[in-house]
Each structure stands twice: as structure tokens, then as C-alpha cells.
Amino acid sequence: MTEEQVLEILQKVGAFRSGHFVFVSGLHADTYVNKNAMYPYTHEMSNLCRGIAELFKGQGVEAVVGPATGGVILSQWVAYHLSELDGREVYGTYADKDGEGFVIKRGYDEVIKGKKTLVVEDLVTTGGSLRKVVTEAHRVGADVVGAVAICNRGDVTKEMAGNPPVFKSLLTVQLDQWPEEECDLCKRGIPVNTDIGHGKEFLAKKKAEK
């Protein structure tokens, strides 16, 4: 799957938004890739996840894990397509949110223990969530063979993603982002979007600080 094909799918489902947004990292931007817009479109999600599976076809992946909640869907589709491509069962699992981190439980820790495991994510801006799941997968004994995202929008490197042997993405986009104190949108009084991203939390924090 080419980057042009991935971009076409994301545009088709309305994943690109413009306005004033706050990321989980606290950085601000005037463009947002709304990953949640992808998930209602099962055919498009299947195509994107097949694209991921094709990147790791024939590399012996035995299990897939992703961070809840979006990673649950991703891991299932990627595992399904890897199973089809490699002609054997590939397990789809996920990591639960646990405070500021992630934990692999529900018996999934035993499922991926000792297995060649691929860590999947929808969107990476800082690589934080992906890194935490890679670290947790190592902790429970998985043999992490790679990590992959549908969209890398933050120049995330392999090191930022937890230093797996391989880090790939279907699409890399260059979108500007900046700290709050350098945000021209804030200075101009442009309202923060509270429907997507972390604008609601940002405003609540600002209110509490007053």
C-alpha cells in the first residue's frame, strides 16, 4: 500500500481537521489527524490493516498487540490479515490502559509470552503510547519483532517508539506543532477544539490554575 493510497483513505473518512487543537503531549497545532474517524469504516480499516500486515508478511509474526482502545481493533485486523497471508494462526491481543501506562493482562500476557510479537498503533505524535506498550510487551516476555503505526505525524523515531528492532508507518505527515507559550492561536484568542483531541482537559486545567 502506497502513502498516496493511505492518504486517500484518511481523507475519505474525514480524518484530517483544521482549527485549534491540543495533543495529549500538551503541544498545540492548527491541524489534527482524527484517528477516531477511521474506525466506523470497516472496509477502509481492513485495507489499512492489510497494508500493515503486508509490511511484515513472512517474518514469522505470531501475535499482535496494541494499546486500548483503538489498538484493539487494529490488532484484530492485522492479526487476521497476517493469518491469511502467512497461512497460520496469528493472535490478536491488546494492552489495557493503566494510569499513565499500559498493562497486558486478561491472559494476553501468556498468549504473547515467548512469541514473535508486533506492536501496532493508529497514530503517533510523540511515540509515548507505543513506547509504553513495547516496554510492557518486553516485560511479560514477548519477543517484540517490530512496531508500526498507520500514521506518523510527529517525526517519531525508532528510539522514541521504545527501540523495537523495526519501526514503520504506512504514512508520514509533516504537521507543525508547538508549546502553549508559543501558540499564536492562543494569542489570537482562537477557541480550542473540545470535541477532538485534549482541548477539554487543557481548558479545565487552565481554569483550575486561575
Side-chain angles (χ1 to χ4, degrees), residues 2-190:
T2 66
E3 287 204 335
E4 290 75 15
Q5 290 172 319
V6 177
L7 184 59
E8 183 179 348
I9 289 175
L10 294 182
Q11 290 173 331
K12 178 182 177 181
V13 301
F16 285 96
R17 299 283 296 273
S18 59
H20 184 185
F21 306 97
V22 180
F23 300 130
V24 66
S25 63
L27 296 174
H28 291 222
D30 58 6
T31 305
Y32 191 91
V33 182
N34 183 16
K35 61 185 182 180
N36 296 319
M38 300 186 291
Y39 289 111
Y41 298 89
T42 55
H43 185 263
E44 283 73 17
M45 282 305 304
S46 175
N47 284 339
L48 290 170
C49 290
R50 183 177 179 88
I52 290 175
E54 288 171 345
L55 293 176
F56 292 88
K57 176 184 177 182
Q59 297 185 31
V61 175
E62 299 171 287
V64 183
V65 63
T69 54
V72 180
I73 299 171
L74 286 179
S75 66
Q76 288 289 298
W77 272 122
V78 173
Y80 171 81
H81 286 298
L82 276 171
S83 297
E84 293 288 304
L85 292 170
D86 286 349
R88 57 179 174 74
E89 186 77 38
V90 176
Y91 301 104
T93 66
Y94 63 90
D96 282 284
K97 188 74 174 173
D98 182 38
E100 294 299 313
F102 289 92
V103 59
I104 299 172
K105 54 184 183 179
R106 304 175 188 270
Y108 298 147
D109 49 342
E110 291 299 321
V111 171
I112 69 174
K113 184 178 181 179
K115 292 186 176 66
K116 293 183 177 180
T117 302
L118 176 65
V119 183
V120 296
E121 175 66 299
D122 41 31
L123 172 73
V124 290
T125 301
T126 65
S129 294
L130 194 58
R131 180 178 66 253
K132 291 171 184 176
V133 177
V134 167
T135 300
E136 173 65 4
H138 280 304
R139 188 190 70 80
V140 301
D143 177 14
V144 177
V145 296
V148 60
I150 290 177
C151 180
N152 182 350
R153 64 136 293 154
D155 290 324
V156 174
T157 64
K158 186 172 76 167
E159 290 72 26
M160 293 166 67
N163 207 29
V166 177
F167 171 57
K168 299 181 178 182
S169 60
L170 293 182
L171 174 68
T172 299
V173 293
Q174 303 294 330
L175 300 176
D176 291 335
Q177 54 190 6
W178 45 80
E180 175 193 348
E181 57 272 18
E182 298 176 13
C183 181
D184 186 58
L185 299 172
C186 286
K187 295 174 184 176
R188 290 159 51 197
I190 306 296

